[in-house]
Amino acid sequence: MRIRGLRKRYGDVDAVDGVDLDIPRGEVFALLGPNGAGKSTTVEILEGHRRRTGGEVAVLGADPGRPTRRWRARIGIVSQTSEERPQLTVRETVRHYAGYYPAPRDPDEVIKAVGLTEKAGARLSRLSGGQRRRVDVALGIVGDPELLFLDEPTTGFDPDARRQFWKLIESLAGDGTTILLTTHYLDEAEALADRVGVIARGRLVEVGTPRELGGRATAKAHVSWTGPEGPQTLETHSPTQVVAELSQKFDGEVPELTVTRPTLEDTYLTMIGAAR
Ligand code: ADP
């Protein structure tokens, strides 16, 4: 996927304000940003569901501004709102969608892959929120897409459902599917993405691996402990040495010792704060 100078204006709002990005095949890329940052607009343009105001875009080698049926069949979309018929069962729904694609996956295998085999005969109206979202994913992958868009896939999930969902996404990624997901959950981006792009006010503020984002890997560590004079904290590039010295000083265990580096959340808040 290749994006150059992408713009989208709504009236006098620059929802997307000059985004450049390349996403290679097989990558899991997370677009992270606060509400209103431009994530959904960007993704909808890439999906061929929204017209852009400017810029050049190629998705699977084609311009999503002129989508063809064949091109659509190669991508999968899990959007925030879907309108399936609640009286149909999981199996009926997945089979129905499979019929839209030239070379679909086996519906029962897809149902298994999303962990809904036991619910295959249940009507959609009878499913929990998390199970309903799994149906959305099943419909997104039943066409056997090369590229999958996931827009805020786990919003409203409980922690257990999120972990299970992450496993599902990991297994899809393991099969070589390129995945572009949007999220405002940092832990989700960190758990799933090869690279993360932080978007704020329609601009990509930074792109990097979760580890290196915002200079995290090289940021100073905080070493804290409690000495005779009370709680102490030292910022350092060589925490191992500091701990070794402390260990000698205390002749063994250092009271209440912790070594921390900025979390992705610290880094992210600094980045979106700076973009305001
Ligand atoms: P995100 O997905 O990051 O929450 P969006 O892409 O939905 O952000 O929105 C980006 C900006 O564009 C926001 O300021 C939003 O209010 C505005 N916007 C989005 N869709 C429309 C629309 N259809 N008409 C007018 N403004 C819109």
Side-chain angles (χ1 to χ4, degrees):
M1 190 180 318
R2 185 182 151 87
I3 304 169
R4 290 292 176 275
L6 180 64
R7 285 180 189 283
K8 177 68 185 182
R9 293 203 112 211
Y10 296 112
D12 54 5
V13 176
D14 287 308
V16 181
D17 192 13
V19 164
D20 297 318
L21 181 64
D22 289 284
I23 300 177
R25 296 268 172 120
E27 185 169 75
V28 179
F29 190 91
L31 207 50
L32 189 66
N35 283 331
K39 301 183 295 297
S40 297
T41 302
T42 303
V43 168
E44 284 163 13
I45 291 168
L46 301 175
E47 292 169 349
H49 283 154
R50 204 170 276 278
R51 292 194 157 275
R52 60 186 186 265
T53 310
E56 295 298 319
V57 187
V59 174
L60 297 178
D63 181 349
R66 285 189 290 275
T68 61
R69 266 183 81 114
R70 270 183 67 187
W71 178 80
R72 281 206 183 284
R74 295 168 64 201
I75 66 174
I77 297 176
V78 179
S79 60
Q80 287 184 49
T81 48
S82 52
E83 294 151 17
E84 273 64 66
R85 281 186 281 164
Q87 71 275 23
L88 292 185
T89 67
V90 171
R91 188 179 286 113
E92 286 165 346
T93 307
V94 176
R95 282 193 180 154
H96 177 72
Y97 269 73
Y100 290 140
Y101 294 94
R105 295 174 62 173
D106 175 53
D108 287 325
E109 267 174 32
V110 169
I111 291 168
K112 188 166 170 229
V114 300
L116 283 177
T117 300
E118 282 172 24
K119 294 281 172 187
R123 296 183 197 283
L124 299 193
S125 57
R126 291 274 146 138
L127 302 180
S128 72
Q131 289 165 344
R132 193 64 190 69
R133 208 73 184 112
R134 283 164 180 268
V135 174
D136 292 339
V137 176
L139 303 181
I141 64 175
V142 72
D144 200 13
E146 293 163 54
L147 168 64
L148 182 63
F149 293 101
L150 293 163
D151 203 0
E152 299 191 1
T154 63
T155 297
F157 278 31
D158 65 35
D160 184 45
R162 291 181 75 212
R163 295 283 159 150
Q164 287 186 32
F165 191 86
W166 291 358
K167 282 208 186 113
L168 166 60
I169 302 308
E170 277 161 13
S171 78
L172 289 174
D175 293 342
T177 312
T178 309
I179 298 176
L180 174 55
L181 85 128
T182 70
T183 184
H184 46 236
Y185 296 120
L186 294 139
D187 56 345
E188 185 156 288
E190 193 163 26
L192 294 179
D194 299 313
R195 286 189 307 150
V196 177
V198 176
I199 189 165
R201 294 174 143 250
R203 290 172 185 242
L204 263 184
V205 185
E206 194 168 330
V207 177
T209 65
R211 279 196 54 196
E212 70 194 17
L213 210 64
R216 264 172 97 206
T218 54
K220 281 188 182 171
H222 289 222
V223 182
S224 302
W225 71 97
T226 302
E229 18 352 289
Q232 310 280 314
T233 297
L234 204 84
E235 283 186 35
T236 174
H237 279 300
S238 48
T240 310
Q241 196 186 330
V242 171
V243 170
E245 286 167 10
L246 282 170
S247 158
Q248 276 204 334
K249 189 175 153 202
F250 283 92
D251 197 18
E253 277 304 309
V254 181
E256 294 177 48
L257 175 70
T258 60
V259 180
T260 56
R261 293 191 191 264
T263 62
L264 183 56
E265 182 159 359
D266 295 333
T267 311
Y268 168 70
L269 290 174
T270 307
M271 274 190 270
I272 62 171
R276 259 172 232 222

